[in-house]
Amino acid sequence: MQSKEEIYYCQPVFRPPSEAYSLLIQLTEGCTFKCDFCMSNLRKKFLVRDIKLVKKDLDIARKQYGPNVRKIFLLDGNAMVTPTEKLLEVISYASILFPNLERCGVYAHSKDILKKSNEQLRMLFEAGLKIAYVGFESGSDKLLEMVNKQASKSDHIKASKRLMKAGITLSGTLINGLGGGNNPKISKEHALESADLVNKICPDDNRIWYIAFLTLMVASGTEIFKKKLKGEFLEMNSIEILQELKTFITRIDFENKNANCIFRSNHASNYLPIKGILDREKGNILSILNYGIAHKDILRPEFYRGL
Ligand SMILES: C[S@@+](CC[C@H](N)C(=O)[O-])C[C@H]1O[C@@H](n2cnc3c(N)ncnc32)[C@H](O)[C@@H]1O
Ligand code: SF4
């Protein structure tokens, strides 16, 4: 039961690394999807919390942290699925309590974005929803289907464009090694189609947007974990992972040479930390990758990797 003066969390909670210093507010619990690699909803039944309780958590946060909270992340796995009027109510209330609030963020599945109209997305942006973290995972329709993503490359393109049109910053994530090590053909398709996806969503202005590559972690209890136990899924090794990423980077080619796509592959799951601007710093990124491929000893050891 929620105690009177404690912010409620349904553990375990998942948030993007860049929201490490944000106020976390539990708006939903779990996720309405069930991707084969993800453990977000393994122990949680999906629900949108009672908005009165969410507002109460915001009141507690105001008492505990004062009026100067600048960033809020609305949990859980796909809080964007929340009906627009409820999302607006929560974000607007947070903006009143925290007058210096710079942004609210959510995880959003592409299908959740596509269910909202352009006008609804614009209203959310104006209320304070400034960033959405979208799990693309891959640009390959074949691989997206294999991992039960319930979204296609074309959904990802449409959702990204609609999000950016509304002014909301896009942060898209892809998963290195998602196709497994027993399938070199799918690894190549994953890299090529993912690069094509990112090329196609590149906006024609110089706004900042983000693309991150995580590396697959086979988490206990997930469908991929079950396949691995049965010998149906083999993990890629660190060099195969870097080769796949190299193919992806090589194929990045934006029409807009002033694009500001902040590329990161520096999550705890990655073997080699990489950061750069696409596609301007493609050459540097490829040099780092080539160095990592030639010097296996500098890669993050398996036991230090995590989600
Ligand atoms: C908690 S999920 C939320 C994303 C959002 N629900 C969506 O589907 O768009 C955040 C991201 O973490 C990454 N992720 C989840 N499980 C992972 C795993 N086992 N290994 C590597 N990355 C993983 C995926 O890129 C996923 O989109
Ligand atoms: S990746 Fe996103 S949509 Fe898929 S199960 Fe995890 S949280 Fe849900």
Side-chain angles (χ1 to χ4, degrees), residues 143-185:
L143 186 50
L144 288 168
E145 209 179 312
M146 273 166 65
V147 299
N148 194 29
K149 186 67 207 178
Q150 310 273 313
S152 64
K153 178 183 179 187
S154 126
D155 291 331
H156 290 332
I157 295 171
K158 281 187 224 145
S160 301
K161 286 189 183 286
R162 301 234 347 252
L163 203 63
M164 290 198 263
K165 192 171 172 210
I168 301 171
T169 297
L170 167 75
S171 180
T173 52
L174 295 141
I175 305 182
N176 218 175
L178 189 60
N182 42 359
N183 205 339
K185 231 171 116 188

Side-chain angles (χ1 to χ4, degrees), residues 192-210:
L192 298 182
E193 289 292 314
S194 297
D196 189 55
L197 163 70
V198 174
N199 287 338
K200 289 202 163 107
I201 60 181
C202 180
D204 54 15
D205 54 29
N206 65 354
R207 79 182 65 201
I208 289 179
W209 53 297
Y210 301 88

Side-chain angles (χ1 to χ4, degrees), residues 30-41 76-78 107 109 112 135 137 148-149:
C31 175
T32 53
F33 295 91
K34 200 172 184 315
C35 305
D36 282 3
F37 52 84
C38 185
M39 51 182 193
S40 274
N41 58 6
D76 224 352
N78 66 333
Y107 275 133
H109 188 284
D112 301 330
E137 328 309 359
N148 194 29
K149 186 67 207 178

Side-chain angles (χ1 to χ4, degrees), residues 11 13 26 37 46 56-57 69-70 72 121 171 210 231 270:
Q11 297 289 354
V13 300
Q26 194 90 48
F37 52 84
F46 178 81
K56 208 165 132 196
D57 282 343
V69 167
R70 288 177 193 275
I72 292 180
L121 290 170
S171 180
Y210 301 88
N270 297 120

Side-chain angles (χ1 to χ4, degrees), residues 140-269:
S140 154
D141 281 337
K142 204 165 159 189
L143 186 50
L144 288 168
E145 209 179 312
M146 273 166 65
V147 299
N148 194 29
K149 186 67 207 178
Q150 310 273 313
S152 64
K153 178 183 179 187
S154 126
D155 291 331
H156 290 332
I157 295 171
K158 281 187 224 145
S160 301
K161 286 189 183 286
R162 301 234 347 252
L163 203 63
M164 290 198 263
K165 192 171 172 210
I168 301 171
T169 297
L170 167 75
S171 180
T173 52
L174 295 141
I175 305 182
N176 218 175
L178 189 60
N182 42 359
N183 205 339
K185 231 171 116 188
I186 198 81
S187 166
K188 185 154 185 213
E189 183 176 321
H190 176 35
L192 298 182
E193 289 292 314
S194 297
D196 189 55
L197 163 70
V198 174
N199 287 338
K200 289 202 163 107
I201 60 181
C202 180
D204 54 15
D205 54 29
N206 65 354
R207 79 182 65 201
I208 289 179
W209 53 297
Y210 301 88
I211 290 294
F213 251 101
L214 281 80
T215 298
L216 180 70
M217 300 291 303
V218 178
S220 175
T222 59
E223 289 306 310
I224 280 198
F225 178 78
K226 291 177 199 162
K227 282 188 189 161
K228 186 183 162 181
L229 288 184
K230 286 191 263 175
E232 292 167 10
F233 185 87
L234 185 72
E235 281 173 86
M236 284 169 78
N237 65 40
S238 54
I239 300 300
E240 289 168 335
I241 292 279
L242 296 185
Q243 293 284 12
E244 185 179 87
L245 190 56
K246 188 176 160 184
T247 308
F248 167 84
I249 296 289
T250 307
R251 285 301 188 105
I252 290 294
D253 184 13
F254 295 159
E255 262 173 44
N256 172 14
K257 294 300 170 199
N258 294 318
N260 273 315
C261 173
I262 302 191
F263 173 79
R264 288 186 285 217
S265 178
N266 59 355
H267 182 261
S269 63

Side-chain angles (χ1 to χ4, degrees), residues 10 42 56 58 62 81 104 199 205 283 290:
C10 174
L42 288 186
K56 208 165 132 196
L58 286 166
R62 174 66 174 75
V81 78
C104 284
N199 287 338
D205 54 29
N290 285 333

